[in-house]
Amino acid sequence: MKQHTSQSDSELLAWVALASAQRISPKIWLQTLEHYKLSPADLAGNASLLPDAVIQLVDQISKPLIDAALAWQQTADNRHIIHYASSYYPQSLKQLDSPPLVLFVTGDSTLLRSPQVAIVGSRRASIQGKRIASEFALGLSNNGVAVTSGLAMGIDSAAHHGALSGNTGTVAVMGTGPENVYPAKNRNLYESINNNKGITVTEFFPGQGPKPWHFPRRNRIIAALSLGTLVVEAKIKSGTLITANLAADMGREVFAVPGSIFHAYSEGCHWLIQQGAKLVTNINDILDEIGLQPGQLGLDVNEQDEKSAANSLATDQLLASVDYDITAIDVIAQRNALSVSQAMASLLEYELRGLVAAVPGGYVKLRGK
């Protein structure tokens, strides 16, 4: 399955050619085609028959980029180029002011048709933030919702991993060419996504690396593909909030997870809530808003019993003495009138249950009261 389109290869080639003119925005191309009543294939014909204004645009087409795109597609069966007129092109992207003319997709491109929710946040996320992102992603994936994010470190990576553990999968929108993984540390995640219930998507041509201006463009695609955007952790001035604002501008839902008022990465979430984003604490808060019925999250009876036992344990004094921010072990010991060694031994059970995590400087609470 090389190409998901009912259009001819020549039409695909024509759209790729337009997209290869990197100095011309998709908006200009679409306006030009509409104004002169042309199709992309018309531009590949006799240039002397075209208006001078169109010829100036056609002169910007890059044959090396076209060749790179076609060579990339032919290398593997799970590589697809989806163009603007294809029936597989997501209709939601056409709401953008300047939608990508082609998408380079690796993996099962039918996932683009699934309902999607974006999960985004800080690259320098806390342990708790990454856990929240992963658990929300797992819940969405198990309820038939694909999780969309940007393949960055931190919250993005946690969201992709969580979704891959579920039933539906994940969509990773890249700020590079389809084979250039950024950051390089996420190469294994990239491979897992492409080979296991997921896809990677980009508008950038093969061979193109990360540039600062690529990522706002990536973020607009994330926002447009998704029914809503969930922000887990973010600073006020961040790309995450840009994505959330783009989603709001397009009439999409915006969700935010609250956090400690003393945590810098909660500031963005709290600001969004003040601006009208929905405060969420569980998966049903999102499913209700996007119009999907909450379902079971794929837990068997034993798993549910284990969670109940863990929640019961989570109410005791020792766990209550551990904060969601880093708490020093000597502080925990003092709060419980224990020696440091006794406190560490007692906390081991909580670690095994996933209620706390040992981190440099002490412990952080992951769940519980």
Side-chain angles (χ1 to χ4, degrees), residues 15-338:
W15 282 106
V16 171
L18 300 194
S20 75
Q22 301 275 281
R23 295 183 180 180
I24 302 171
S25 72
K27 179 179 182 179
I28 295 298
W29 277 123
L30 294 174
Q31 288 177 339
T32 300
L33 294 175
E34 174 66 22
H35 179 75
Y36 292 102
K37 307 302 180 187
L38 296 169
S39 73
D42 292 332
L43 306 185
N46 189 342
S48 63
L49 300 178
L50 298 173
D52 289 342
V54 178
I55 293 174
Q56 291 177 8
L57 300 181
V58 171
D59 287 342
Q60 299 293 319
I61 288 173
S62 169
K63 188 174 186 305
L65 284 181
I66 297 172
D67 292 342
L70 299 180
W72 170 83
Q73 183 194 22
Q74 293 166 3
T75 302
D77 287 340
N78 68 342
R79 294 181 172 184
H80 319 284
I81 303 175
I82 298 176
H83 61 77
Y84 185 84
S86 167
S87 59
Y88 283 83
Y89 188 93
Q91 291 299 306
S92 59
L93 291 186
K94 293 186 177 182
Q95 297 178 28
L96 291 170
D97 182 59
S98 190
L101 300 182
V102 296
L103 296 171
F104 299 95
V105 178
T106 307
D108 182 5
S109 60
T110 59
L111 191 61
L112 279 176
R113 292 182 166 182
S114 297
Q116 299 170 45
V117 166
I119 298 181
V120 295
S122 173
R123 294 187 299 274
R124 297 178 178 84
S126 68
I127 292 174
Q128 183 185 354
K130 288 185 281 190
R131 184 185 182 101
I132 291 170
S134 179
E135 291 194 353
F136 268 84
L138 174 61
L140 288 166
S141 183
N142 279 338
N143 279 275
V145 180
V147 173
T148 304
S149 199
L151 199 64
M153 300 298 290
I155 296 299
D156 288 21
S157 294
H160 290 309
H161 279 296
L164 288 175
S165 299
N167 297 327
T168 305
T170 190
V171 177
V173 185
M174 302 170 64
T176 63
E179 83 293 18
N180 287 34
V181 181
Y182 180 82
K185 289 181 180 179
N186 273 349
R187 167 63 66 175
N188 289 340
L189 174 58
Y190 165 88
E191 297 291 349
S192 295
I193 291 171
N194 289 337
N195 296 315
N196 179 29
K197 296 183 298 185
I199 57 172
T200 53
V201 181
T202 182
E203 67 178 309
F204 301 105
F205 275 67
Q208 294 187 321
K211 301 292 183 184
W213 59 88
H214 285 187
F215 296 97
R217 290 175 61 180
R218 174 202 64 182
N219 292 346
R220 87 192 196 288
I221 294 178
I222 293 173
L225 283 175
S226 306
L227 297 171
T229 294
L230 170 65
V231 179
V232 177
E233 288 183 343
K235 288 188 173 181
I236 291 289
K237 295 182 179 179
S238 65
T240 298
L241 259 63
I242 292 174
T243 305
N245 288 330
L246 287 170
D249 289 345
M250 286 184 272
R252 309 292 201 274
E253 299 290 345
V254 178
F255 310 100
V257 176
S260 168
I261 61 173
F262 301 109
H263 196 311
Y265 289 97
S266 297
E267 292 177 354
C269 294
H270 294 162
W271 183 86
L272 287 172
I273 292 168
Q274 290 172 333
Q275 303 306 309
K278 178 167 183 176
L279 185 157
V280 297
T281 59
N282 62 66
I283 191 68
N284 291 348
D285 292 336
I286 296 176
L287 297 176
D288 288 344
E289 287 295 322
I290 63 176
L292 295 178
Q293 292 298 315
Q296 293 297 321
L297 301 186
L299 299 176
D300 61 27
V301 174
N302 291 333
E303 287 176 318
Q304 292 180 3
D305 289 344
E306 182 179 333
K307 282 185 176 289
S308 296
N311 288 335
S312 176
L313 177 66
T315 63
D316 73 18
Q317 180 182 347
L318 180 62
L319 187 60
S321 69
V322 184
D323 299 325
Y324 284 108
D325 292 322
I326 297 174
T327 312
I329 183 59
D330 56 344
V331 172
I332 299 171
Q334 183 179 24
R335 288 173 177 175
N336 292 275
L338 298 172

